[in-house]
């Protein structure tokens, strides 16, 4: 049996116009696989959007603060070292 025949058989007997989620257990295997892949893609995309991108924005914010914090630290170190020399 060729791949083309296998794919045709995987979707045989399924009518898109008669789509009923209450009978999803009886759908052909090809339709189930496509449905599972779509659900997986939506969940993966949502996870990336809400988890990873949010953390990336927070990281960029902290990186932006880094240079000003370094400058403050250098200023404090220099002022404390000058204060120690005059005493």
């Amino acid at each position: 049996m060729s791949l083309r025949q296998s794919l045709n058989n995987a979707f045989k007997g399924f009518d898109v116009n008669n789509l009923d989620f209450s009978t999803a257990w009886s759908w052909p295997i090809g339709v189930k696989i496509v449905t599972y892949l779509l659900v997986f893609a939506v969940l993966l995309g949502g996870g990336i959007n809400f988890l990873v991108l949010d953390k990336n924005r927070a990281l960029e914010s902290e990186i932006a603060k880094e240079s000003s914090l370094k400058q403050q630290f250098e200023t404090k170190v220099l002022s404390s070292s000058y204060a120690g020399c005059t005493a």
Side-chain angles (χ1 to χ4, degrees), residues 4 49 53:
R4 180 181 219 102
N49 187 33
L53 294 180

Side-chain angles (χ1 to χ4, degrees), residues 16-85:
V16 176
N17 296 325
N18 241 354
L19 190 62
D20 186 13
F21 286 101
S22 64
T23 60
W25 56 270
S26 66
W27 290 353
I29 190 69
V31 177
K32 287 181 185 178
I33 290 173
V34 169
T35 304
Y36 294 149
L37 289 174
L38 287 174
V39 169
F40 177 75
V42 167
L43 292 175
L44 183 66
I48 288 172
N49 187 33
F50 292 116
L51 298 175
V52 175
L53 294 180
D54 186 43
K55 295 208 184 294
N56 193 22
R57 283 186 215 112
L59 176 64
E60 289 174 357
S61 171
E62 294 299 320
I63 289 173
K65 291 179 189 177
E66 180 183 11
S67 63
S68 68
L69 290 173
K70 283 182 180 179
Q71 185 66 34
Q72 289 175 4
F73 178 74
E74 289 174 359
T75 305
K76 288 179 182 179
V77 167
L78 289 175
S79 67
S80 68
S81 66
Y82 288 134
C85 290

